[in-house]
């Protein structure tokens, strides 16, 4: 879910949009290819009581703190990897009898049995197929919505309807008004998002409770390729945000241009998404709530943006953050506490072309980012019916840990020294989250967290 240009002097980012991201092939992926195939095995579905119960995880950080999450079924457990099943073509066989012998030719299909593209079995449980369908729908939502609209435009009888609708889309300010009038809780609580989240699976973890009488700016890291974890945690109720943080209305932010795409903008508004523009952020944090001034409201910004997506590689965590202080200034002006969020596994669900091996391609991607506001990463993962080729994300766990809030003193004209102080405290909290939980959620990491640019 990009758009750091949307905020003046703020280096912010939007939430993931499926068409504006990507990932690099990595020699050592966080999970083995066999684990990907193992994930197609049937899992026990969680019961209703399990889905709605807040529990303390049987996990403790180095400092002895617990994590609170929503109880789920064994579908979220990490399972041991399967042993690799390698098919081998048999050599020509000689059949001998008493007075004669036969020499057989090559076995048909032997090459296919040794193909590097592994196909999914046909007996995959229905629930797993439904999970794949929902993730595919969201991944292709922008391209799909635009394609459907263009096809409808080929029907002249629909022009009297489509033309006014198109004018309305181009002139509407619904994505930045802050009213959230198009937001549908019924749609956000839909069971299909439980299928979406359990595909990986994704989970949301709370470090401490948040007061519903404060405003909050959640910073989500890393961007990854499409920020599937941010969508599951903050754009839906599949992971139980309202149960973990009662009384807080959170809004995931995305590019303002996404609200100019026919049909997709209606989908995004129903999910409660809003523009990442400065106007939108200030409107959301100054309206609604018990006092009508934004108390109990929160926004989630994917701070690293499109630039950070180019560094999304399995097993690594490089955050574009050093020079990004616009979201800190926004929080100070609005009097909203900053809440760092670290998503373990967000970078693992896709692979992308290595920028260091293709420097000219990397320069082109940065050029597109500079002029268009989004990047064009070349990524791949798995397919619908295979485990090796396609745009579907890998089934790898995503664990979103919400850190401790950093209390903010409101000021309409933020002092640069105070901005630097809060920015440093924000980075320190991210590093604390990483150090506390890396041995739990990032055991197969290839390196430590890096804060760059």
């Amino acid at each position: 879910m990009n758009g750091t240009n949307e905020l003046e002097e703020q280096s912010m980012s939007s939430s993931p949009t499926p068409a504006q991201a990507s990932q690099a092939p990595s020699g050592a992926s966080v999970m083995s290819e066999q684990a990907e195939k193992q994930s197609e095995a049937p899992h026990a579905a969680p019961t209703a009581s399990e889905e709605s119960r807040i529990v303390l995880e049987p996990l403790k950080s180095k400092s002895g703190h617990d994590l609170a999450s929503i109880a789920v079924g064994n579908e979220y457990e990490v399972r041991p990897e399967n042993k690799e099943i390698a098919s081998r073509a048999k050599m020509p066989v000689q059949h001998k009898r008493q007075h004669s012998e036969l020499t057989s030719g090559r076995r048909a299909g032997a090459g296919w049995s040794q193909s590097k593209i592994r196909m999914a079995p046909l007996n995959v449980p229905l629930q797993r197929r439904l999970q794949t369908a929902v993730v595919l729908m969201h991944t292709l939502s922008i391209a799909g919505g635009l394609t459907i609209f263009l096809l409808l435009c080929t029907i002249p009888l629909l022009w009297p309807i489509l033309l006014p609708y198109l004018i309305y889309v181009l002139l509407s300010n619904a994505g930045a008004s802050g009213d959230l009038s198009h937001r549908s809780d019924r749609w956000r609580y839909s069971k299909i998002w439980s299928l979406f989240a359990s595909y990986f699976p994704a989970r949301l973890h709370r470090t401490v409770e948040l007061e519903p009488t404060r405003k909050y700016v959640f910073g989500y890291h890393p961007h990854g390729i499409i920020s599937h974890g941010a969508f599951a945690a903050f754009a839906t109720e599949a992971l139980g945000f309202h149960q973990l943080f009662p009384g807080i209305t959170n809004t995931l932010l995305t590019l303002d241009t996404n609200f100019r795409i026919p049909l997709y903008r209606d989908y995004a508004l129903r999910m409660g998404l809003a523009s990442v523009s400065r106007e939108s952020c200030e409107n959301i944090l100054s309206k609604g709530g018990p006092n009508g001034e934004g108390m109990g409201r929160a926004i989630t910004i994917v701070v690293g943006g499109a630039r950070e997506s180019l560094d999304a590689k399995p097993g690594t965590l490089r955050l574009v953050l050093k020079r990004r202080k616009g979201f800190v200034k926004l929080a100070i002006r609005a009097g909203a506490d900053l809440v760092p969020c670290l998503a373990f596994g967000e970078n693992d669900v896709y692979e992308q072309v290595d920028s260091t091996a293709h420097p000219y391609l990397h320069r082109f991607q940065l050029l597109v980012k500079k002029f268009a506001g989004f990047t064009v990463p070349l990524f791949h993962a798995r397919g619908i019916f295979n485990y090796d080729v396609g745009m579907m994300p890998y089934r790898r766990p995503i664990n979103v840990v919400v850190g401790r809030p950093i209390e903010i003193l409101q000021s309409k004209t933020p002092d640069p020294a105070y901005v630097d102080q809060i920015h440093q405290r924000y980075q320190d909290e991210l590093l604390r989250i990483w150090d506390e939980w890396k041995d739990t959620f990032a055991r197969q990491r290839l390196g430590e967290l890096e804060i760059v640019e």
Side-chain angles (χ1 to χ4, degrees):
M1 277 161 176
N2 320 332
T4 58
N5 294 339
E6 292 292 333
L7 287 176
E8 177 182 350
E9 68 177 358
Q10 290 179 347
S11 302
M12 289 187 178
S13 162
S14 68
S15 67
T17 59
Q20 300 164 353
S22 74
Q23 204 167 18
S26 174
S29 63
V30 174
M31 293 183 64
S32 66
E33 295 177 350
Q34 293 77 22
E36 181 69 22
K37 190 168 185 177
Q38 171 71 6
S39 67
E40 295 294 345
H43 299 310
T47 64
S49 61
E50 288 177 322
E51 291 181 338
S52 60
R53 188 173 69 252
I54 298 179
V55 298
L56 288 178
E57 294 289 347
L59 303 171
K60 287 188 179 292
S61 65
K62 293 181 179 179
S63 59
H65 293 103
D66 295 307
L67 281 183
S69 303
I70 301 301
V72 292
N74 59 10
E75 160 176 29
Y76 290 88
E77 296 176 359
V78 178
R79 292 170 172 76
E81 301 176 355
N82 283 340
K83 296 181 179 179
E84 182 178 4
I85 302 176
S87 301
R88 298 181 178 179
K90 294 184 179 180
M91 299 296 291
V93 180
Q94 290 187 343
H95 305 276
K96 294 186 178 182
R97 293 192 176 182
Q98 219 172 19
H99 303 293
S100 63
E101 66 179 32
L102 289 177
T103 301
S104 303
R106 65 185 297 274
R107 184 182 298 275
W112 286 100
S113 66
Q114 294 179 325
S115 173
K116 292 183 179 180
I117 300 178
R118 299 161 302 144
M119 304 304 295
L122 296 178
N123 60 341
V124 174
L126 177 62
Q127 181 181 359
R128 309 289 284 179
R129 290 300 186 200
L130 292 176
Q131 291 171 349
T132 301
V134 175
V135 173
L136 179 66
M137 177 200 73
H138 174 66
T139 303
L140 300 179
S141 54
I142 288 182
L146 190 57
T147 300
I148 293 174
F149 180 78
L150 293 176
L151 289 175
L152 293 175
C153 288
T154 62
I155 305 175
L157 289 176
L158 297 179
W159 290 356
I161 300 175
L162 296 178
L163 183 58
Y165 171 73
L166 183 60
I167 295 174
Y168 167 73
V169 168
L170 296 176
L171 299 180
S172 173
N173 192 39
S177 66
D179 295 330
L180 305 182
S181 57
H182 294 75
R183 182 187 182 110
S184 171
D185 284 339
R186 182 177 181 180
W187 185 233
R188 287 169 58 90
Y189 278 88
S190 174
K191 291 295 184 182
I192 69 171
W193 304 123
S194 179
L195 291 170
F196 176 90
S198 59
Y199 171 92
F200 301 98
R203 295 201 68 180
L204 178 64
H205 306 277
R206 180 189 70 196
T207 303
V208 297
E209 297 182 11
L210 299 181
E211 293 293 333
T213 56
R214 301 282 296 176
K215 306 176 186 179
Y216 299 97
V217 174
F218 285 68
Y220 183 88
H221 309 268
H223 182 284
I225 299 302
I226 302 182
S227 298
H228 285 302
F231 182 83
F234 304 116
T236 77
E237 285 299 322
L239 304 185
F241 180 88
H242 273 168
Q243 291 173 278
L244 292 173
F245 305 102
I248 298 176
T249 301
N250 200 337
T251 301
L252 183 62
L253 305 183
T254 184
L255 279 176
D256 186 68
T257 52
N258 290 332
F259 297 97
R260 302 291 178 260
I261 302 176
L263 299 185
Y264 174 77
R265 54 93 61 185
D266 301 287
Y267 164 70
L269 289 173
R270 285 292 178 185
M271 296 305 301
L273 273 65
S275 169
V276 75
S277 66
R278 175 174 173 176
E279 175 192 4
S280 172
C281 295
E282 293 178 347
N283 285 338
I284 294 172
L285 295 175
S286 62
K287 298 180 180 180
N291 61 352
E293 297 179 358
M295 291 302 176
R297 280 198 170 186
I299 58 176
T300 299
I301 302 172
V302 187
V303 179
R307 174 62 188 88
E308 192 173 81
S309 69
L310 298 179
D311 292 327
K313 302 175 184 178
T316 65
L317 193 57
R318 287 170 56 88
L319 305 184
V320 178
L321 183 59
K322 281 186 178 180
R323 296 201 300 260
R324 307 223 164 184
K325 302 179 181 179
F327 72 103
V328 178
K329 297 176 184 178
L330 169 70
I332 295 174
R333 283 193 292 264
D337 295 346
L338 283 171
V339 184
C341 304
L342 195 60
F344 295 85
E346 183 67 68
N347 283 347
D348 300 335
V349 297
Y350 286 105
E351 296 182 9
Q352 67 170 314
V353 174
D354 189 356
S355 59
T356 58
H358 302 83
Y360 292 106
L361 173 62
H362 186 62
R363 292 177 187 175
F364 172 74
Q365 291 172 322
L366 293 178
L367 190 65
V368 173
K369 166 66 179 68
K370 179 178 180 180
F371 290 101
F374 61 89
T375 188
V376 187
L378 299 180
F379 67 94
H380 75 90
R382 58 166 292 171
I384 302 175
F385 302 110
N386 73 82
Y387 300 110
D388 303 289
V389 180
M391 296 179 63
M392 290 288 294
Y394 291 121
R395 289 180 181 267
R396 296 172 179 172
I398 299 176
N399 288 279
V400 182
V401 179
V402 179
R404 301 168 182 167
I406 299 170
E407 190 169 343
I408 299 295
L409 298 178
Q410 186 173 10
S411 173
K412 294 301 181 183
T413 56
D415 178 61
Y418 185 60
V419 171
D420 292 340
Q421 177 188 347
I422 297 299
H423 188 260
Q424 185 59 51
R425 289 177 59 189
Y426 184 90
Q427 294 182 77
D428 292 342
E429 176 63 11
L430 280 175
L431 291 171
R432 185 198 66 80
I433 297 173
W434 168 257
D435 187 58
E436 294 269 330
W437 300 105
K438 64 183 179 182
D439 293 333
T440 302
F441 299 130
R443 295 178 180 178
Q444 295 178 310
R445 61 189 180 277
L446 302 179
E448 297 298 312
L449 183 150
E450 298 178 64
I451 297 179
V452 298
E453 295 189 27

